[in-house]
Amino acid sequence: KSEDAIDLEKSMSILNAILEKLSEKEREEYTRKTALAVLLCKFDELAENFDANSYVRSSPPIMRSRNFGGSSIHYYIDRCSEEIENYIKRKNSQSDFFNSVNRFSNRKYFAVSSIGRSDSIISTGDGYKTAFFSQPKNIENVLLWIMYKTGIII
């Protein structure tokens, strides 16, 4: 495994453990019905590995439609998913992870940062100090997609 490969072994073992507990018929139904969101976490630390003009580094569009399906945010999530999947494949070309993930017909890849850590220098009026700002990234996209796939939104 290369030094900069993403460690997928734990994720793969958890996913396979779930699937192994099911009969073949249950496994087939489970992988057909389950919406699988694959998260690339700590994206704030990985963003520079993506092209500056990539979808995944851009801001998501504002949802102007009442329907998620076919909307600009839906398109954006699809394009981001493709970029993230390709990135993981480049970093882990020999991994069996995709054999497990590809069993799921409803799957998307998301790059997220729960804190999006950004240390900034701010003016206090009488000088400067360092402050911590939380800037979560793309958490809402995961939720929108899961709600869409489970029929909560259309």
Side-chain angles (χ1 to χ4, degrees):
K1 188 182 326 191
S2 73
E3 183 179 301
D4 61 346
I6 300 166
D7 185 7
L8 301 173
E9 300 308 314
K10 185 174 183 181
S11 300
M12 190 172 78
S13 65
I14 293 169
L15 183 58
N16 286 334
I18 292 168
L19 294 175
E20 286 172 9
K21 292 181 188 261
L22 303 173
S23 70
E24 186 59 39
K25 185 177 180 182
E26 291 171 324
R27 192 175 312 130
E28 187 178 303
E29 185 174 342
Y30 184 78
T31 56
R32 186 175 43 81
K33 289 184 175 181
T34 301
L36 180 68
V38 179
L39 305 183
L40 178 63
C41 299
K42 296 189 175 285
F43 184 66
D44 52 307
E45 296 176 10
L46 299 169
E48 291 182 3
N49 293 312
F50 291 83
D51 184 83
N53 296 319
S54 64
Y55 279 96
V56 73
R57 286 189 64 181
S58 67
S59 296
I62 296 170
M63 192 165 166
R64 300 188 191 285
S65 169
R66 297 184 76 178
N67 297 333
F68 175 81
S71 69
S72 59
I73 188 75
H74 190 190
Y75 180 83
Y76 170 83
I77 288 171
D78 286 347
R79 299 298 73 78
C80 288
S81 180
E82 290 169 5
E83 292 175 359
I84 297 157
E85 180 179 7
N86 289 333
Y87 171 76
I88 296 172
K89 282 180 180 175
R90 279 194 314 274
K91 295 294 182 182
N92 299 75
S93 60
Q94 303 302 315
S95 176
D96 289 331
F97 176 75
F98 291 100
N99 293 335
S100 298
V101 170
N102 289 340
R103 295 167 90 171
F104 290 80
S105 53
N106 293 308
R107 65 184 178 279
K108 283 284 181 259
Y109 294 81
F110 297 90
V112 299
S113 178
S114 58
I115 297 184
R117 208 168 126 160
S118 172
D119 294 322
S120 303
I121 305 295
I122 62 169
S123 173
T124 61
D126 57 352
Y128 294 93
K129 74 175 192 174
T130 302
F132 176 80
F133 296 101
S134 175
Q135 297 174 327
K137 179 154 177 72
N138 294 330
I139 304 292
E140 68 281 3
N141 295 340
V142 180
L143 298 174
L144 279 171
W145 182 76
I146 290 173
M147 290 189 308
Y148 175 67
K149 283 300 184 179
T150 56
I152 295 171
I153 60 174
I154 56 170

